[in-house]
Amino acid sequence: RSEIRSNGDYSYDEYTYLFFDALQTATNDDFLLLINNLKNMWEAGTEVTIKELGDAALTKYNNMCSSGRWDSGSTKESMLKKEIRVLAASVKEFKKALAAKQGPALPASSDSGDKKHSGPTDPDWKFNNRRNYCWLK
């Protein structure tokens, strides 16, 4: 603490704040809960030293790694990834079912001319019947 104070660049509280900020970049919800609780205590006036913060963070990290819970990442993130996988599988199945139910492609037009559909002759028709405006120009 005295070494940090003698540096003169930042105050001890600024270093503590920066350390909290660095720890809050983690993506694991359980780990972030610990860090946020410690930060709330610190902001409310409870003395939390950088050493205590570092020791608590390291202990939590090591315990989560040894129990296999660190790599699981964010609970919200993993739930979203699972939902996305389920949705993607559903879309894939829907496409297969749709392709199976669809008949052959539309038959070719018996009209061999290369006519371009110009729509009704009344130029105001498209504005009066917007929902029915379906020809191509």
Side-chain angles (χ1 to χ4, degrees):
R1 193 177 213 184
S2 61
E3 290 175 20
I4 291 174
R5 284 191 178 140
S6 66
N7 186 341
D9 291 341
Y10 294 104
S11 70
Y12 185 79
D13 284 341
E14 289 172 319
Y15 276 112
T16 305
Y17 184 80
L18 292 172
F19 194 30
F20 273 117
D21 276 356
L23 291 170
Q24 287 177 316
T25 62
T27 58
N28 187 288
D29 287 341
D30 290 337
F31 181 81
L32 288 174
L33 183 64
L34 169 75
I35 301 304
N36 288 330
N37 286 340
L38 289 171
K39 186 173 184 181
N40 287 336
M41 290 171 41
W42 177 70
E43 289 176 337
T46 304
E47 180 71 25
V48 178
T49 66
I50 291 177
K51 180 173 179 4
E52 291 170 342
L53 178 57
D55 289 346
L58 183 61
T59 301
K60 181 71 171 178
Y61 172 76
N62 287 338
N63 288 335
M64 292 184 77
C65 284
S66 66
S67 65
R69 293 181 302 142
W70 180 260
D71 289 332
S72 63
S74 166
T75 306
K76 291 176 189 172
E77 184 180 325
S78 60
M79 286 173 51
L80 285 174
K81 285 181 181 179
K82 182 180 179 183
E83 289 176 16
I84 289 170
R85 283 193 302 270
V86 169
L87 183 60
S90 297
V91 168
K92 189 174 183 180
E93 287 178 32
F94 177 75
K95 284 182 178 180
K96 282 183 184 178
L98 186 61
K101 287 184 179 183
Q102 261 183 340
L106 293 174
S109 172
S110 60
D111 192 14
S112 61
D114 194 18
K115 295 179 184 175
K116 199 175 191 181
H117 191 278
S118 62
T121 55
D122 179 12
D124 292 328
W125 181 89
K126 64 182 177 184
F127 298 108
N128 296 332
N129 299 292
R130 290 176 199 208
R131 283 183 274 177
N132 298 327
Y133 182 60
C134 61
W135 73 89
L136 298 174
K137 289 186 175 186

